[in-house]
Amino acid sequence: AVAADELAGHRIPAGATVEIRKDSGDNASHYDIDLVEMEQVGGALGKPDGYLSITDCGATANDGSDDSNAIQNCIDQARSQNKGLYIPPGVFRATSGDGFSVGNVTIRGAGMWHSTIQGYFARFDCWENNCKYYDFSVFGDTTQRIDDSPETAFSGNGSSNVVLENIWIEHEKVGYWTGPNTNNLRISSCRMRNLHADAVNFYAGTSNSIVENTHTRNTGDDALAMWAHNTNGYGAGHDNVFRHNYMQLPWKANCIGLYGGSNNKIEDNVCSDVVQYPGILLARQFNGHAFGGTNRIDRNTLFRAGGWAYGQAHGGIKFHADQGPVQNFVVTALDIVEPTNAGVHVQGQSYIDSVWLNGVTITNPGYGSFYLNAGSEGSMDAVNVVATGNSTGVINDSNGDFNLIKGSGSSGW
């Protein structure tokens, strides 16, 4: 047998048995097991043809020395020579400078378990277009959230045609923060954990972009956000997609937040165990553009979403008309399982309308199926919305100013 505390960072031989056990010297009254996570890891990927290696430019693995200058020099050489850049197996330190400036370069590692850029300045900023990153990890050294400190693993300057695939990010403030008017960004099959703010924020005019097949855990703000910030003449973000993602334990804010924009989609995601806020928040907040076109929320699941923050209880999914109307939403095939408070929550001083719920299940809500907050006004259509378990139906504090229209196939509320 192999004891669990001996496994961290080590390979487990084939046929081994993994035990979590209380031995004679373990005298606590109880033990909490936070997480046991194991994964079959493939071999390291080799250097592709036509690529420079960062070791060609003087970077050295696993020796604790600062490789920042060598890595930046190699990025610049690869760009000038129209070559790709390879990060071989090992840990390379980034402990000086301002992070790495990237433009029109493809950077590939040997795999997220094999190639690591580590340190306080482990950051990549795409200042041009066509930045492509594959198969490595970025582990920062952020210990607190300071919003004006640029501790972001990946960022861009309104870049187009950027790819982030098979990248592992931890201990940064943010995983990926887009520059204004970013276009055609694809984040795929990544893992982003233990962050002090968002995993991904599609900021200020970001459009035609996707986050898919990505896992987030323990984020200090929204796991995934689309913030159509109405500032400096930036347009509203549009035609973005969050799909097939699994988000766990955002300890502040939401699994997914949409703050304005048009024709965006949230599809086939799972959100679990939100500490303070809704699982999905659809809000006119933070000076966001109006919602336009049709924004769709299709085939998502929320487990134990919605918590207590800023003096109030939040629902599993929330429509918040704080700084303007919330409208133009279609929500289908949404499963809200054991929401801490209400299943569906509406709030705000502006109007909510043109919102359709169809095929929503609410199971064992802590505080009712629907919560119509005091001051809310407008209407919502609810067809085939079924509540079961510990449901107290509709909690209506709107004084009749919000009209919840109960359609065919709805029951339990």
Side-chain angles (χ1 to χ4, degrees), residues 246-308:
Y246 183 21
M247 296 147 284
Q248 294 176 288
L249 281 170
W251 52 269
K252 190 174 184 180
N254 322 277
C255 280
I256 295 176
L258 263 64
Y259 310 105
S262 301
N263 298 318
N264 296 304
K265 297 179 180 179
I266 301 172
E267 301 175 337
D268 303 288
N269 302 285
V270 176
C271 162
S272 69
D273 299 297
V274 184
V275 176
Q276 290 190 327
Y277 239 46
I280 297 175
L281 175 61
L282 312 168
R284 287 292 305 280
Q285 289 184 306
F286 312 118
N287 195 29
H289 279 280
F291 289 110
T294 300
N295 296 279
R296 297 195 62 95
I297 318 295
D298 295 319
R299 302 176 304 278
N300 297 279
T301 301
L302 310 178
F303 291 108
R304 299 172 296 278
W308 180 272

Side-chain angles (χ1 to χ4, degrees), residues 13 28 42 45 63 130 139 156 163 180 186 199-200 263 272 292 310 329 382 409:
L45 302 172
D63 64 353
N130 303 307
F139 292 168
V163 175
R186 180 173 63 86
V200 177
N263 298 318
S272 69
Y310 301 104
F329 278 96

Side-chain angles (χ1 to χ4, degrees), residues 22 54-55 85 91 98 101 131 149 160 177 192 196-197 214 217 219 222 225 263 271 295 324 338 385 390 403:
K22 182 176 178 180
I54 61 173
T55 57
L85 185 63
V91 177
D98 295 313
S101 295
C131 301
S149 179
S160 297
W177 187 285
M192 305 181 185
H196 286 265
T214 288
R217 184 169 64 215
T219 56
D222 295 334
N263 298 318
C271 162
N295 296 279
E338 297 183 346
V385 177
N390 183 32
N403 184 20

